C-alpha cells in the first residue's frame, strides 16, 4: 500500500488528540480562523488556478469558487464550532446492576475519519473543524478540480497546528487520484469510517468498493409536493428558493410534484423560475398547463430520465398526480432519502406526509434548502447522511462520535 505510511501517521496522531483539552482545541480552531482571514489572498490565488480549469457554465463552478465573503463565512463557521459544547465524554446511559456492577455509556471519537469529496474546497475546512473538535483525526481525499485550493488549505492548517505544538498529521490530504481513493477505501485498521460527499456515482462506487465502514451522504434527489390544499402564497417563494438558491447543492429541488386539481396554478408557481432561466421537464398534463405561459425555450417534455435525476443545474422536472398516494409512490420510487417537502394547508395531509415519507428530513411548507447543519443550529456539517444505520440527516459534532461502555466493580465474578 503506497499510502500506508500516511495512514499510520494519522492513526498515531489520533491518539494524541485525546490528550488535548476542549479549551485548547477551541483556541486552535480560533487560530485557524484567524489564519483564514490573514491568508485570504493566498487562498484565493490558489483557488483561481482551479477555477481557470473549469468552464464557468459548469454548475460545479459555483461550488468550487472561493470569495472574500465565503472565506469570511468559513472562518465564522469555524469560530462557531469552537463555541459548541464538547461532544466527548457525555454520559448517555448509567445504571447499577443488582450485582453491584456500575455501567456507564459515554461518547468517544471514532478515531480516524476518511472523507472523499469533489469540487468543494470549503469541505476541507469544515471536516477539519468538526473532526478536530470531536477528537478525530481525518484523512481527506478531494477531487482534482479543487486540488490547488485543497493543498493551500491543508498547508494553512498544518502551519497553525505546528505553531500551536500539535501534530499536523491529525489532518492529511491524499493525492487527487483514483488510486488514492482505492487505498483509502481499503485502509482497514487505519481508517475507522469513510464518508463520501458527492453525487450518486461517487457514493455507489464507495459503497461497492469499500472494505472500511461507510456512512453515505450527499446524493440528493429532492421532491416538493404541491398538495390539493397548497397555498400559492407559500408555494411560489418556497419552490423558487428550493430550486434556485444554489442549484449545485444536494438540498436543491429536482422535481415539483403537483396535484392535478392545482394545475391551473402551475404557471403562477413557476413564474419566478422563468426569471432564473430554469428549464422545466414537464409531464404531459403539466406541459399543457405551462404551454403559452412559460418561456417556450425553457419548457420541454419530460422523459423517463427526467425523474430521479439530481440535476445540480437550473433544471427541474414537473410531475402531475391525481392523489396523495400517487405523490408518495413517486417519492418512494425516485427520491434518495435526503429531503422532501409538502406544501399544504391540510393538517392531516401534512401529518401523513411526514409520517409516510422515508427521508432524513421531511418538511411542511418550508423549502428543502434548510437541510444544512448550520441552519439546524448544529454548526458546520460533514455531510447529510441518507442512510438509516447510525447518523441520519445533517452530521455535526454529535454524529462524529461513537460510544463505549465503562464497567466498574469490586471483584464480582459471573456465575458458572
Amino acid at each position: 500500500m503506497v499510502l500506508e505510511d500516511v495512514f499510520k501517521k494519522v492513526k498515531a496522531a489520533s491518539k494524541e488528540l485525546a490528550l488535548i483539552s476542549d479549551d485548547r482545541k477551541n483556541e486552535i480552531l480560533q487560530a485557524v480562523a484567524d489564519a483564514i482571514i490573514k491568508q485570504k489572498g493566498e487562498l484565493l490565488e490558489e483557488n483561481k488556478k482551479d477555477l481557470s480549469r473549469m468552464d464557468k457554465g459548469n454548475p460545479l463552478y459555483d461550488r468550487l469558487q472561493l470569495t472574500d465573503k465565503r472565506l469570511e463565512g468559513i472562518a465564522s463557521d469555524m469560530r462557531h464550532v469552537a463555541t459548541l459544547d464538547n461532544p466527548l465524554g457525555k454520559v448517555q446511559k448509567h445504571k447499577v446492576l443488582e450485582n453491584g456492577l456500575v455501567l456507564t455509556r459515554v461518547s468517544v471519537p471514532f478515531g480516524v475519519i476518511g472523507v472523499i469529496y469533489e469540487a468543494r474546497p470549503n469541505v476541507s475546512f469544515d471536516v477539519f473543524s468538526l473532526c478536530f473538535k470531536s477528537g478525530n483525526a481525518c484523512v481527506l481525499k478531494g477531487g482534482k478540480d479543487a486540488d490547488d485550493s485543497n493543498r493551500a488549505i491543508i498547508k494553512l492548517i498544518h502551519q497553525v497546528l505546528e505553531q500551536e505544538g500539535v501534530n499536523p498529521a491529525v489532518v492529511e490530504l491524499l493525492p487527487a487520484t483514483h488510486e488514492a481513493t482505492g487505498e483509502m477505501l481499503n485502509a482497514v485498521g487505519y481508517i475507522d469510517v469513510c464518508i463520501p460527499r458527492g453525487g450518486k456515482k461517487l457514493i455507489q462506487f464507495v459503497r461497492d468498493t469499500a472494505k472500511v465502514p461507510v456512512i453515505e451522504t450527499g446524493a440528493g434527489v429532492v421532491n416538493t409536493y404541491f398538495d390539493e390544499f397548497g397555498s400559492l402564497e407559500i408555494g411560489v417563494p418556497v419552490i423558487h428558493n428550493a430550486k434556485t438558491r444554489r442549484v449545485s447543492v444536494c438540498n436543491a429541488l429536482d422535481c415539483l410534484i403537483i396535484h392535478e386539481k392545482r394545475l391551473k396554478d402551475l404557471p403562477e408557481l413557476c413564474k419566478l423560475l422563468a426569471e432564473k432561466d430554469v428549464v422545466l421537464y414537464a409531464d404531459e398534463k403539466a406541459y399543457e398547463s405551462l404551454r403559452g405561459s412559460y418561456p417556450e425555450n425553457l419548457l420541454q417534455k419530460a422523459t423517463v430520465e427526467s425523474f430521479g435525476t439530481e440535476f445540480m443545474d437550473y433544471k427541474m422536472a414537473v410531475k402531475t398526480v391525481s392523489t396523495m398516494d400517487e405523490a408518495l409512490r413517486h417519492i418512494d420510487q425516485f427520491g434518495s432519502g435526503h429531503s422532501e417537502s409538502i406544501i399544504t394547508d391540510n393538517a392531516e395531509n401534512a401529518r401523513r406526509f411526514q409520517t409516510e415519507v422515508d427521508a432524513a428530513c421531511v418538511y411542511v411548507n418550508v423549502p428543502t434548502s434548510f437541510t444544512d447543519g448550520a441552519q439546524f443550529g448544529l454548526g458546520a456539517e460533514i455531510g447529510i447522511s441518507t442512510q438509516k444505520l447510525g447518523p441520519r440527516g445533517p452530521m455535526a459534532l454529535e454524529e462524529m462520535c461513537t460510544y463505549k461502555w465503562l464497567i466498574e466493580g469490586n471483584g464480582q465474578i459471573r456465575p458458572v
Side-chain angles (χ1 to χ4, degrees), residues 61-76:
Y61 189 92
D62 177 62
R63 301 174 89 169
L64 175 62
Q65 187 172 35
L66 294 175
T67 64
D68 271 2
K69 185 177 179 180
R70 288 183 179 179
L71 287 173
E72 287 168 5
I74 289 168
S76 177

Side-chain angles (χ1 to χ4, degrees), residues 191-356:
I191 292 179
D192 295 288
V193 63
C194 179
I195 303 173
R197 287 192 59 167
K200 187 183 296 184
K201 288 183 179 179
L202 171 64
I203 291 172
Q204 185 174 344
F205 172 78
V206 171
R207 185 198 307 124
D208 294 345
T209 307
K211 291 183 179 179
V212 298
V214 172
I215 298 176
E216 297 179 24
T217 75
V221 178
V222 175
N223 303 275
T224 292
Y225 172 46
F226 191 80
D227 184 41
E228 176 183 358
F229 305 101
S231 162
L232 270 178
E233 185 178 357
I234 291 174
V236 172
V238 164
I239 292 167
H240 180 255
N241 185 258
K243 177 66 257 182
T244 68
R245 178 188 165 272
R246 288 189 70 185
V247 297
S248 62
V249 294
C250 59
N251 58 32
L253 180 59
D254 295 299
C255 180
L256 171 62
I257 306 168
I258 185 167
H259 195 285
E260 63 182 7
K261 290 183 179 179
R262 301 304 299 274
L263 280 172
K264 64 182 184 301
D265 296 310
L266 186 57
E268 180 72 10
L269 285 171
C270 296
K271 66 177 183 180
L272 296 181
L273 301 180
E275 297 175 8
K276 291 284 190 174
D277 292 333
V278 175
V279 176
L280 298 182
Y281 299 93
D283 66 11
E284 187 175 348
K285 290 181 179 180
Y287 185 89
E288 289 304 316
S289 175
L290 289 165
R291 190 169 62 171
S293 61
Y294 201 78
E296 185 179 353
N297 64 312
L298 299 175
L299 183 60
Q300 297 187 29
K301 291 185 177 180
T303 65
V304 175
E305 290 75 25
S306 301
F307 306 110
T309 295
E310 184 181 16
F311 288 108
M312 294 193 296
D313 201 348
Y314 287 92
K315 299 175 180 179
M316 187 180 80
V318 185
K319 169 69 176 177
T320 306
V321 296
S322 57
T323 64
M324 187 168 178
D325 284 333
E326 192 178 347
L328 292 171
R329 286 195 299 271
H330 183 89
I331 291 171
D332 187 55
Q333 180 178 356
F334 294 105
S336 63
H338 190 292
S339 300
E340 308 289 353
S341 182
I342 184 174
I343 300 168
T344 186
D345 285 338
N346 183 294
E348 176 58 27
N349 282 1
R351 183 203 62 78
R352 185 183 172 201
F353 189 86
Q354 289 196 303
T355 300
E356 295 189 27

Side-chain angles (χ1 to χ4, degrees), residues 177-192:
T177 63
H178 293 300
E179 291 76 15
T181 301
E183 289 204 43
M184 174 188 282
L185 297 178
N186 286 278
V188 176
Y190 299 115
I191 292 179
D192 295 288

Side-chain angles (χ1 to χ4, degrees), residues 46-105:
E46 294 304 305
N47 184 239
K48 284 180 182 177
K49 295 178 183 178
D50 291 326
L51 292 171
S52 69
R53 297 191 294 268
M54 183 176 285
D55 181 358
K56 286 187 176 182
N58 189 328
L60 295 180
Y61 189 92
D62 177 62
R63 301 174 89 169
L64 175 62
Q65 187 172 35
L66 294 175
T67 64
D68 271 2
K69 185 177 179 180
R70 288 183 179 179
L71 287 173
E72 287 168 5
I74 289 168
S76 177
D77 287 344
M78 189 165 293
R79 296 187 199 284
H80 179 61
V81 170
T83 68
L84 298 175
D85 291 341
N86 181 8
L88 302 175
K90 288 190 174 182
V91 176
Q92 300 174 342
K93 289 185 180 180
H94 178 82
K95 61 181 177 179
V96 180
L97 303 183
E98 289 183 4
N99 61 8
L101 287 179
V102 180
L103 276 63
T104 308
R105 196 174 88 176

